[in-house]
Amino acid sequence: MSDAGSTPWNKFYKADLWNGCFFPEGFWYEDLGIVPVIIAKAKKIVNINEPLYIYETSRGGSQTNQVQANKFLDVKYMLDNVYNCIVELGLFEESKAQLKTLYMEHLVYVTILEKTTKVKDKKTKKYLIEEIRKGMDSKFPGWEADNFSTGNFVTKRLKNLVISLYLNRMFILGDILWKAPKKIKYKLTGF
């Protein structure tokens, strides 16, 4: 569920997996709100290692490239939808670890590192961090002790350090540690 990605366009599905399942409306990240449920319902998953589709992520109008802090917490609502659907389907116990990883990856790592670090207003950052913390605490008490981050050793350590700084409202230090290496890399490589 958590390692298959939440995009619907990079998968083939049996039609009956979608029975009774719908994309939540009125939110960003609606793919995240249902695709993990479909994956959890699947009895057999096969990986095809061929690029059959190209998706352009550098479009200016893409949600990925927009900073709209009022939409960032839509991730929480989508994850909660997945959580509730998994519980209703009776798949919670077998999916608990993957649900936690899904929440960590999308609500903690992506929302903090890729979204909240771009917010300039300190009050808005505090609000986002508190909502992220409340969301995680309500579903996975003790979650802060876990490190689920991906990447090499240095990248993992950096991600976890910046997350910790943000959770403790040390935004300036977190921003310096997170943004400075990216600026240096961009100056050196142009990417």
Side-chain angles (χ1 to χ4, degrees):
M1 173 193 336
S2 57
D3 58 354
S6 62
T7 54
W9 45 259
N10 67 352
K11 299 163 188 60
F12 293 107
Y13 310 89
K14 283 184 71 178
D16 65 341
L17 289 172
W18 286 90
N19 289 343
C21 295
F22 305 95
F23 286 93
E25 293 184 27
F27 296 94
W28 276 17
Y29 319 111
E30 67 278 355
D31 300 346
L32 177 60
I34 199 63
V35 172
V37 174
I38 304 304
I39 293 167
K41 288 173 64 175
K43 301 290 184 231
K44 183 178 180 182
I45 297 175
V46 177
N47 187 24
I48 301 170
N49 284 323
E50 289 185 52
L52 303 172
Y53 185 88
I54 297 173
Y55 183 78
E56 179 60 48
T57 59
S58 63
R59 297 176 294 118
S62 170
Q63 289 177 6
T64 305
N65 300 316
Q66 294 183 30
V67 180
Q68 289 190 21
N70 63 324
K71 300 303 272 177
F72 292 168
L73 291 177
D74 282 6
V75 166
K76 181 181 174 298
Y77 300 116
M78 295 300 98
L79 290 169
D80 288 348
N81 187 70
V82 169
Y83 188 98
N84 294 334
C85 287
I86 295 294
V87 168
E88 288 173 19
L89 290 168
L91 300 172
F92 182 74
E93 285 307 315
E94 64 194 71
S95 303
K96 188 176 182 180
Q98 288 184 318
L99 274 171
K100 186 175 184 180
T101 300
L102 193 68
Y103 269 78
M104 288 292 291
E105 188 61 35
H106 290 278
L107 188 57
V108 177
Y109 290 104
V110 173
T111 304
I112 293 176
L113 295 177
E114 300 302 324
K115 302 293 184 180
T116 307
T117 56
K118 295 177 182 175
V119 173
K120 294 183 181 357
D121 180 59
K122 188 175 181 179
K123 185 176 175 182
T124 302
K125 281 187 180 192
K126 284 181 182 179
Y127 172 75
L128 291 169
I129 294 301
E130 280 310 306
E131 290 300 309
I132 290 167
R133 184 187 300 278
K134 282 193 284 188
M136 291 300 296
D137 287 346
S138 72
K139 298 287 193 271
F140 306 101
W143 65 275
E144 289 183 66
D146 296 330
N147 293 315
F148 286 94
S149 183
T150 58
N152 64 39
F153 177 78
V154 174
T155 302
K156 285 181 188 180
R157 298 289 299 217
L158 179 62
K159 285 180 177 180
N160 288 316
L161 176 59
V162 173
I163 293 293
S164 179
L165 291 169
Y166 256 69
L167 290 171
N168 290 295
R169 295 182 177 179
M170 296 180 201
F171 302 132
I172 294 172
L173 185 55
D175 285 345
I176 290 169
L177 290 173
W178 187 246
K179 295 176 182 178
K182 290 181 178 195
K183 287 181 180 178
I184 292 168
K185 180 182 175 188
Y186 181 76
K187 284 184 180 182
L188 293 174
T189 65
F191 297 109

